[in-house]
Amino acid sequence: MAHPPETSAPRSYAALGDSFTEGLNDPGRNGRYAGWADRLAGLLAAQHPDGDFRYANLAVRGRLLDQIVAEQIPQVREIRPDLVTFCAGGNDILRPGSDPDEVAERFEAGVLQLREHTGTVLVATGFDTRGVPVLGLLRGKIATYNGHLRAIADRNGCAVADLWSLRAVHDRRAWSDDRLHLSPEGHQRVALLAARALGLTVDEDPDAPWPARPAPTPADVRRENLQWARSHLLPWVGRRLRGESSGDHMAAKRPDLLPL
């Protein structure tokens, strides 16, 4: 994995997005989730031994792209951080009938707004869902959206964390039981990748091989798939049919730029 040129670390960082950036299924302090953005903030803060680093996480689970643009970008205008990570559109792509070309147009409109109020914008591509139950059917849409994201980043001078190429997340251990959100180790791998995309030197390799373990038997796989469908897939489908979101009535966990 190529190393970008090293750059001076930002002294303030705001994370925008949905459950991916909120950090679901990575237990943190005070009953809240941590996640890759919190972990990236920790890596950035370590670049400033004087303690002059501030961090906000505006992400809320379940948010669609238009909601993120309407609710979170205005907050960026007020706090004006040095760095913004803008990860959005994934929930839109998951919806039946969504058009990745159209979603990308709205995403770029959000990027243009952010570029007026922050020094650096980092975007992340979607994961490669090859071999993933149900989500594997959307692989073509995700790849199309990723192509747009890379082009948007090129046109607007954004950094890119290329999650599609991150081989480490093809291991089941990178994902929590719901198979939609990362495990704590998966979040750590993404944080390392994002840090590298920003030009930071990190001691660990985000794509380092996982420890060897016995392969699951076909019976184990069938049993796990059935349990996953009962516990996670069916409730998720039910929420979609009822027009509900896991983030209804929820607010950002860290809405202000505060010392980490």
Side-chain angles (χ1 to χ4, degrees):
M1 188 175 295
H3 292 258
E6 290 191 32
T7 58
S8 59
R11 291 187 177 273
S12 56
Y13 163 37
L16 279 61
D18 51 32
S19 60
F20 169 61
T21 301
E22 184 185 344
L24 257 63
N25 299 349
D26 181 16
R29 297 178 179 177
N30 302 322
R32 296 176 177 176
Y33 290 114
W36 70 269
D38 286 22
R39 292 167 179 264
L40 173 61
L43 295 171
L44 293 168
Q47 306 296 311
H48 301 289
D50 58 2
D52 184 17
F53 176 80
R54 295 171 298 145
Y55 167 56
N57 190 315
L58 310 178
V60 179
R61 68 193 72 176
R63 290 299 193 260
L64 297 169
L65 173 58
D66 287 347
Q67 293 173 308
I68 293 169
V69 170
E71 299 170 5
Q72 299 175 26
I73 289 182
Q75 297 180 67
V76 171
R77 294 195 194 105
E78 295 182 6
I79 62 180
R80 293 182 176 269
D82 296 335
L83 166 68
V84 166
T85 55
F86 183 38
C87 303
N91 288 327
D92 299 72
I93 296 298
L94 290 177
R95 301 213 164 195
S98 62
D99 179 357
D101 300 334
E102 188 272 334
V103 176
E105 289 181 4
R106 292 187 281 117
F107 183 91
E108 185 163 20
V111 168
L112 291 172
Q113 293 185 55
L114 288 171
R115 293 295 290 143
E116 297 178 2
H117 304 288
T118 187
T120 300
V121 176
L122 180 142
V123 302
T125 67
F127 295 102
D128 185 356
T129 58
R130 179 185 58 184
V132 179
V134 183
L135 296 181
L137 300 174
L138 301 175
R139 190 176 186 230
K141 286 177 65 174
I142 296 170
T144 300
Y145 189 53
N146 283 351
H148 284 301
L149 293 179
R150 294 187 186 96
I152 291 168
D154 286 343
R155 285 193 294 268
N156 296 282
C158 303
V160 179
D162 187 8
L163 302 179
W164 182 277
S165 69
L166 188 62
R167 296 184 299 270
V169 295
H170 295 170
D171 190 289
R172 179 69 184 83
R173 286 169 285 185
W175 298 91
S176 60
D177 290 342
D178 67 7
R179 303 186 183 181
L180 188 62
H181 300 102
L182 295 166
S183 66
E185 179 62 23
H187 279 287
Q188 177 67 9
R189 302 289 184 120
V190 171
L192 293 170
L193 181 72
R196 282 193 174 183
L198 293 170
L200 273 65
T201 299
V202 294
D203 295 332
E204 301 172 74
D205 181 1
D207 245 341
W210 293 80
R213 68 171 184 176
T217 66
D220 290 336
V221 172
R222 286 194 297 271
R223 184 166 53 252
E224 289 179 2
N225 287 342
L226 181 60
Q227 179 62 36
W228 167 75
R230 289 173 174 170
S231 300
H232 302 287
L233 178 61
L234 292 178
W236 181 82
V237 171
R239 288 196 300 273
R240 297 285 80 74
L241 293 176
R242 294 189 299 272
E244 298 175 356
S245 169
S246 58
D248 287 345
H249 313 298
M250 296 197 68
K253 66 179 183 180
R254 193 180 174 94
D256 301 311
L257 276 179
L258 297 173
L260 191 64

